[in-house]
Amino acid sequence: MQTETEPLVLDEIDRKILAELQEDGRMTNVELARRAGISPPPCLRRVRRLEEAGYIKGYHADTDGHKLGWQIAFFVIVGLESQKLSVLEAFEALVATWPEVRECHMIRGGGDFLLKLVARDAAHENQLTQRLTNAAHVARVQTLQTIRTSRALSGVPMDRLYG
Amino acid sequence: MQTETEPLVLDEIDRKILAELQEDGRMTNVELARRAGISPPPCLRRVRRLEEAGYIKGYHADTDGHKLGWQIAFFVIVGLESQKLSVLEAFEALVATWPEVRECHMIRGGGDFLLKLVARDAAHENQLTQRLTNAAHVARVQTLQTIRTSRALSGVPMDRLYG
DNA sequence: ATATAGACGCAATATAATTGCGCGGGCGCG
DNA sequence: CGCGCCCGCGCAATTATATTGCGTCTATAT
């Protein structure tokens, strides 16, 4: 789950395992083995191998943000007034300290970021966008409020892979 | 994990459980109980309760898309030329059939979507944006290519919650 | 003050995870 | 073409975890 070694050659069974764990990460190894068509011991060894090689980076419960009091999810495109590495890194370091920032993607080669945030309510959202606007070297802030999410798949398609 | 009942009153232990499972969804119940400060049986009962009430929607392995042959991740802002419900739903239904579309968020009240996609390579990415551009009722397509992702947290902050 | 519901932990049982090991197939070398 | 080696499999045994039943305790409402 951390060791990060060489690239592996994955076969059909490995892909099936990845697909199943992407879908249900808490499935028992017995059930996983059944679905993969092999017995539990080699199945577990494959899972461990995938974890150690970094193909599986971790496992996460998918929680209901709305029920947990995070009524709002939104994206923000942030433009910085500089493309200097130090400025970019400072911005990343800053937002990394905000728990409401769940994702931070650098886009278009530098100077711009796409963030995904959550907020407890509209006031909280405004506070967050204000904080972003006032942050050092921030030139532009465009908010994309999520009205509804019709699809939110984790991971990648597991059909026709290279691996 | 699906039954969806009433809202629950969550206490500190429930929040700890959610936080831990959000962080490591495959943790054993014994370890989870240890961290939550209670014994395994009530811990498991709490987890089941959280699943059944929909606070935990599922568990997913976090796979390495890059290693699995999906070199490119990108976002696309799609503007439709109509805000008619039938058009919006048709668009959602269309992209729901594309495995490369991992997320689809309706933004700004209608007519616009933010999608997250993955592609095997640049040619594949171009093909996807072309397909989007040519889709019915699509007026505008803006691509936000991800250069690097400095943060990608799952779920929501689990501090100071309501529940 | 007392009955009641809810949550806990212990103990027992059922399952699952993990390890050791021998077997058999595929591959490369002689 | 045959021989051995390496790898991955499955079985069987062991250890650990998940799950269930149940008696107890505490906070709450009557």
Side-chain angles (χ1 to χ4, degrees):
Chain A
M1 206 101 85
Q2 355 66 15
T3 344
E4 289 286 335
T5 59
E6 340 299 305
L8 302 179
V9 176
L10 304 186
D11 63 15
E12 207 48 57
I13 296 177
D14 291 310
R15 288 193 276 277
K16 177 68 170 169
I17 287 173
L18 288 167
E20 292 291 346
L21 288 179
Q22 212 170 243
E23 185 66 28
D24 177 5
R26 221 174 152 78
M27 185 182 300
T28 67
N29 181 59
V30 167
E31 173 64 13
L32 183 61
R34 197 187 62 70
R35 298 191 185 197
I38 58 179
S39 67
C43 183
L44 185 60
R45 286 189 285 259
R46 280 170 180 266
V47 172
R48 294 285 178 260
R49 192 178 69 122
L50 291 168
E51 290 171 350
E52 280 162 23
Y55 286 79
I56 296 174
K57 295 188 285 187
Y59 302 88
H60 305 285
D62 176 19
T63 54
D64 187 322
H66 200 271
K67 282 188 171 156
L68 291 168
W70 301 90
Q71 307 290 316
I72 298 178
F74 61 109
F75 291 85
V76 180
I77 297 173
V78 176
L80 300 189
E81 61 194 10
S82 161
Q83 299 193 19
K84 284 178 57 180
L85 185 58
S86 61
V87 171
L88 304 181
E89 289 180 344
F91 179 78
E92 287 181 344
L94 171 68
V95 300
T97 68
W98 299 8
E100 297 93 341
V101 175
R102 308 311 290 174
E103 298 179 20
C104 176
H105 308 276
M106 186 185 291
I107 59 178
R108 289 190 215 145
D112 286 296
F113 289 88
L114 176 64
L115 309 184
K116 178 180 182 176
L117 295 94
V118 293
R120 292 193 296 277
D121 50 41
H124 187 193
E125 180 191 347
N126 287 335
Q127 181 198 5
L128 288 168
T129 55
Q130 278 305 312
R131 266 203 271 163
L132 275 174
T133 304
N134 296 331
H137 301 290
V138 167
R140 186 172 52 85
V141 169
Q142 178 187 357
T143 297
L144 307 176
Q145 171 119 35
T146 293
I147 302 304
R148 86 173 223 187
T149 296
S150 60
R151 189 172 223 201
L153 302 178
S154 59
V156 293
M158 212 54 78
D159 324 315
R160 50 177 185 164
L161 278 188
Y162 312 122
Chain B
M1 204 100 89
Q2 355 64 17
T3 343
E4 291 284 335
T5 58
E6 337 301 303
L8 302 179
V9 177
L10 305 186
D11 64 14
E12 207 48 57
I13 296 178
D14 290 311
R15 287 193 276 277
K16 177 68 170 168
I17 287 173
L18 288 167
E20 292 291 345
L21 287 179
Q22 212 170 245
E23 185 66 28
D24 176 5
R26 223 174 150 76
M27 184 182 301
T28 67
N29 182 59
V30 167
E31 173 64 13
L32 183 61
R34 197 186 63 68
R35 297 191 186 198
I38 58 179
S39 65
C43 184
L44 185 60
R45 286 188 284 255
R46 280 170 181 265
V47 171
R48 295 283 178 261
R49 193 179 67 122
L50 291 168
E51 291 170 348
E52 280 163 21
Y55 286 77
I56 296 175
K57 295 188 285 185
Y59 302 89
H60 305 286
D62 175 20
T63 54
D64 187 322
H66 200 270
K67 282 188 169 155
L68 290 169
W70 301 90
Q71 307 291 313
I72 297 177
F74 61 109
F75 291 85
V76 179
I77 298 173
V78 176
L80 300 188
E81 60 193 13
S82 160
Q83 299 192 19
K84 283 179 57 181
L85 185 58
S86 61
V87 172
L88 303 183
E89 289 181 343
F91 179 77
E92 287 181 344
L94 172 67
V95 299
T97 67
W98 298 8
E100 298 93 342
V101 175
R102 307 312 287 174
E103 298 178 21
C104 176
H105 308 276
M106 187 186 292
I107 58 178
R108 290 189 213 144
D112 286 296
F113 289 88
L114 176 64
L115 309 183
K116 179 180 183 179
L117 296 94
V118 293
R120 294 194 297 277
D121 51 41
H124 186 194
E125 180 192 348
N126 286 335
Q127 182 198 5
L128 289 169
T129 55
Q130 277 306 311
R131 266 203 272 164
L132 277 174
T133 303
N134 296 331
H137 300 288
V138 167
R140 185 173 52 83
V141 169
Q142 178 188 359
T143 299
L144 308 176
Q145 172 119 31
T146 293
I147 303 303
R148 82 173 226 187
T149 295
S150 61
R151 190 172 223 202
L153 301 179
S154 58
V156 293
M158 213 53 78
D159 323 315
R160 50 178 182 160
L161 279 189
Y162 312 121

